Amino acid sequence: MRHHHLIQPAAAVCGTLALVAGLAACGGSSSAADEKVVTVYSADGLKGENGDGWYDKVFEDFEKETGIKVEYVEGGSGEMVQRAVREKSNTQADVLVTLPPFIQQADSKGLLAAYEPAGADQVDGADKASDGKWTSVVNNYFGFVYNKKELTGPPKSWEELLDAKYKEKIQYSTPGVAGDGTAVLIKAMHDFGGQEPAMEYLKKLQTNNVGPSASTGKLAPKVDKGELLAANGDVQMNFAQSKDMPNLGIWFPAKGDGRPTSFALPYAAGLVDKAPHSANGKKLLDFMLSEPAQQDVSAVGGGFAARADIEATDPNATELAALMRGVEIFEPDWSDIGTNLDGYVDAWKSATGS
């Protein structure tokens, strides 16, 4: 509850000032810095379809504890970074949350200010910036979904998706726009052993692909209804969605008869440079990494706690651990991807005619 005490004295002082100096000190003309609000720009996936996601609980608890209201804007990871870039001369967001490599991209565009939230020392080195510009708040893995009703089991491999039965029954979100769409390129380049063979494969897959989608979150309902048989996603978001979508199954493609692979795709949060409510942004980042909020990552959000000292034993955590068993986890070279992303996306566009 320490955040609660932080604001008490300020509020008390404010009350006294108001008596002395009229309403100027605390009333309508107060500067943006005093406003009880914090604006979050985030990749989709952590807010529940029915108000029951991790963000819903964390934002509500945060407001109860601090009196600060969270204004929330969501979209694809790339989309949120682009919006923040456009607003650079008139910053609107206080906190930016995206999947990699977009958080690295945001940093390279000068959008982030260094701030290490309380509890960041418990976050693995690979899941935070060494200079404090961003810290993962929810860990997650890249994955795919399939329709459990129409298919007897998940497709085993990338190659299987080229089968005629998947014609216009596959869709993946747009690389360069959506974090999970970009992840398709990263995984394909890893599994096929480089850019060229990956693009060759994705070119073939185009025959069965429905076409672009700016948001990955919109694909799961289509898979659940059977409009699609398979789509990309990520474990946290799809696991949370599967609670309301009985036909949604999670799987990881393998190359040929190899082992299925995946990689960590955390939700990484950073304080926006020249944020209008910087102090509130810092409080929210502290709150997201606090022990109670991190305990809720699996129990409420269906994700993996970012802090290594959180021992999650809830039913979701057990189910998630079972889901990841036997999946080979590789670590992408995020600095390479951050630097060369535009080139990879251009290669994908020309390969697929997108």
Side-chain angles (χ1 to χ4, degrees):
M1 294 297 285
R2 60 170 196 270
H3 304 273
H4 202 57
H5 303 305
L6 286 178
I7 64 153
Q8 292 298 68
V13 169
C14 211
T16 327
L17 284 175
L19 294 174
V20 180
L23 293 173
C26 303
S29 63
S30 69
S31 71
D34 298 330
E35 283 181 320
K36 292 292 209 178
V37 67
V38 61
T39 300
V40 176
Y41 282 10
S42 176
D44 49 337
L46 291 175
K47 204 161 179 11
E49 312 268 325
N50 311 307
D52 53 1
W54 187 68
Y55 271 164
D56 301 285
K57 181 158 192 330
V58 169
F59 293 167
E60 192 185 324
D61 291 350
F62 178 70
E63 191 179 346
K64 263 188 214 145
E65 193 166 304
T66 62
I68 299 165
K69 187 170 172 30
V70 178
E71 299 287 345
Y72 177 71
V73 179
E74 78 170 24
S77 285
E79 199 186 331
M80 290 296 97
V81 173
Q82 284 157 13
R83 181 166 172 170
V85 168
R86 284 198 303 273
E87 294 170 352
K88 226 173 158 182
S89 56
N90 178 24
T91 314
Q92 302 295 310
D94 301 302
V95 171
L96 179 68
V97 186
T98 77
L99 306 179
F102 295 96
I103 199 74
Q104 290 88 341
Q105 194 184 57
D107 187 18
S108 71
K109 291 179 189 293
L111 292 175
L112 304 176
Y115 177 67
E116 283 194 37
D121 57 323
Q122 294 294 337
V123 176
D124 185 58
D127 297 329
K128 61 186 175 190
S130 52
D131 61 359
K133 293 283 184 65
W134 55 268
T135 310
S136 296
V137 288
V138 170
N139 274 350
N140 191 15
Y141 294 93
F142 178 54
F144 282 66
V145 285
Y146 74 103
N147 181 299
K148 292 198 290 197
K149 199 169 122 199
E150 304 285 332
L151 299 171
T152 49
K156 290 277 181 288
S157 63
W158 286 106
E159 289 83 357
E160 196 177 318
L161 296 178
L162 300 174
D163 194 284
K165 75 171 174 185
Y166 291 104
K167 186 156 176 63
E168 291 182 0
K169 290 285 188 180
I170 287 173
Q171 193 172 13
Y172 60 91
S173 51
T174 310
V177 175
D180 290 328
T182 307
V184 172
L185 291 192
I186 294 169
K187 179 169 152 62
M189 280 162 49
H190 170 271
D191 291 1
F192 286 92
Q195 182 182 313
E196 273 182 46
M199 298 309 160
E200 252 168 68
Y201 169 80
L202 291 169
K203 183 180 186 171
K204 285 183 202 152
L205 186 65
Q206 210 53 16
T207 315
N208 291 345
N209 184 21
V210 173
S213 168
S215 158
T216 316
K218 295 194 169 76
L219 301 180
K222 292 183 184 176
V223 173
D224 183 58
K225 290 191 197 94
E227 288 171 36
L228 297 172
L229 290 177
N232 68 320
D234 62 69
V235 174
Q236 175 279 326
M237 176 172 69
N238 296 143
F239 186 81
Q241 287 172 315
S242 71
K243 300 293 184 196
D244 299 316
M245 300 179 192
N247 302 320
L248 208 60
I250 297 172
W251 67 289
F252 307 91
K255 162 88 172 65
D257 51 14
R259 273 178 71 181
T261 70
S262 182
F263 60 94
L265 204 55
Y267 289 90
L271 184 69
V272 177
D273 188 44
K274 301 181 181 62
H277 313 102
S278 186
N280 296 351
K282 288 176 181 176
K283 282 180 189 165
L284 181 61
L285 288 167
D286 286 350
F287 194 86
M288 284 175 164
L289 269 187
S290 67
E291 287 187 40
Q294 287 291 304
Q295 283 288 357
D296 285 338
V297 167
S298 52
V300 176
F304 304 81
R307 286 178 60 153
D309 60 341
I310 299 294
E311 286 291 327
T313 53
D314 58 274
N316 283 354
T318 309
E319 225 178 303
L320 286 162
L323 187 66
M324 299 309 297
R325 227 165 266 141
V327 180
E328 187 182 306
I329 306 298
F330 65 92
E331 201 173 298
D333 181 346
W334 289 117
S335 59
D336 164 74
I337 294 158
T339 309
N340 298 307
L341 181 61
D342 292 346
Y344 296 144
V345 171
D346 288 344
W348 171 80
K349 282 179 181 165
S350 61
T352 57
S354 299

